Amino acid sequence: MYLADYHVHSRISPDSAAPMADMARAALAAGLDELCFTDHVQPVALGTGARPAFYDWAALLAEFDLARAELGDRISLRLGIELGDAGIDVPHTEKLLSNMPPMDFIIGSVHMLPESWGCTNLYLFDPKDEEEAYKGIAAYLEEVRTLAQWGNFSVLGHLTLPLRYLNENRGFQLTFDRFEDEVREILQILVDRGRGIELNTNRGNAPLPGEKWLRLYRSLGGEILTLGSDAHHPEMVGCRIRESLELLKACGFTRFCTFRKMEPVWHKL
């Protein structure tokens, strides 16, 4: 069975301190065949809505070169990014990406509520009750739909991300069930545009998205799918990748993807 983790962060991201080389060594120790670095690129700043005019692509490339030099050919290393909240300001996003070096892979994701909600970071979203939480999820899904329609990425990351924070951190017991129509529309847009989704293993917690939404994606004709731990520390690299491959089998998938030069590479389950 081919094992690949396609969502990890290094010290190039503001929320990680780990060198890429350390993450790569951890992947090798975990028995992975392939690792893709997906450090954060945030065209609209979390919590403020500011539009940074510059991203240090040179620093990203230099860090990746260090990891490749250290690990050699012992594991396949790929370079990608996690592009956050691009749909809030598409012209600015496209300007920021205009000098992006060649990438293997791009995760498109939404990490905050829309500008009408103050660009609140989902991690900090602290609703007073369940109804306010569900209103926040509805606003989040509007941003996800906008991002899906833009579609300049490889896969949509952690579709049900608000549940990570609302359930695990805030003590709610919410689902996306009341938003089935909205989720179906988003997944159909992705399928129609030839884009995929990520099965985020959520560092060993409930997968994002879960079985119901994976089955829905499959029923709509979805095939492009990557797996990622969302590791920010070496000890989380490869977390529950093996178990998630079994989940995909149970949901009717027969293969999954890695990427090279923005093109999917298929692996049998």
Side-chain angles (χ1 to χ4, degrees), residues 5 22-35 75 77 234 237-238:
D5 190 340
D22 287 1
M23 302 297 277
R25 281 193 296 268
L28 191 63
L32 299 186
D33 299 290
E34 188 169 334
L35 183 71
I75 184 172
L77 298 179
V237 174

Side-chain angles (χ1 to χ4, degrees), residues 187-265:
L187 293 176
Q188 190 65 67
I189 291 169
L190 294 171
V191 171
D192 291 346
R193 292 184 61 82
R195 300 296 182 260
I197 65 170
E198 169 196 52
L199 171 52
N200 188 298
T201 71
N202 196 21
R203 307 161 201 163
N205 295 302
L208 308 170
E211 181 176 346
K212 175 177 180 175
W213 310 115
L214 293 169
R215 289 185 180 276
L216 177 58
Y217 177 62
R218 185 73 189 95
S219 74
L220 295 172
E223 285 194 286
I224 298 173
L225 197 149
T226 59
L227 296 93
S229 66
D230 212 345
H232 288 64
H233 310 283
E235 59 268 22
M236 286 289 104
V237 174
C239 180
R240 298 194 68 82
I241 293 294
R242 290 173 176 83
E243 295 86 344
S244 296
L245 290 170
E246 294 301 322
L247 174 59
L248 292 183
K249 285 183 185 179
C251 292
F253 293 92
T254 60
R255 58 184 185 170
F256 73 100
C257 286
T258 57
F259 277 77
R260 185 172 178 83
K261 297 180 179 179
M262 298 298 291
E263 293 295 329
V265 178

Side-chain angles (χ1 to χ4, degrees), residues 25-74:
R25 281 193 296 268
L28 191 63
L32 299 186
D33 299 290
E34 188 169 334
L35 183 71
C36 185
F37 298 102
T38 54
D39 280 302
H40 290 293
V41 175
Q42 196 71 31
V44 179
L46 293 171
T48 68
R51 273 65 162 169
F54 172 77
Y55 182 81
D56 194 348
W57 301 108
L60 179 68
L61 293 175
E63 183 75 9
F64 185 59
D65 286 344
L66 285 173
R68 287 194 301 180
E70 182 161 338
L71 275 294
D73 60 0
R74 288 181 288 166

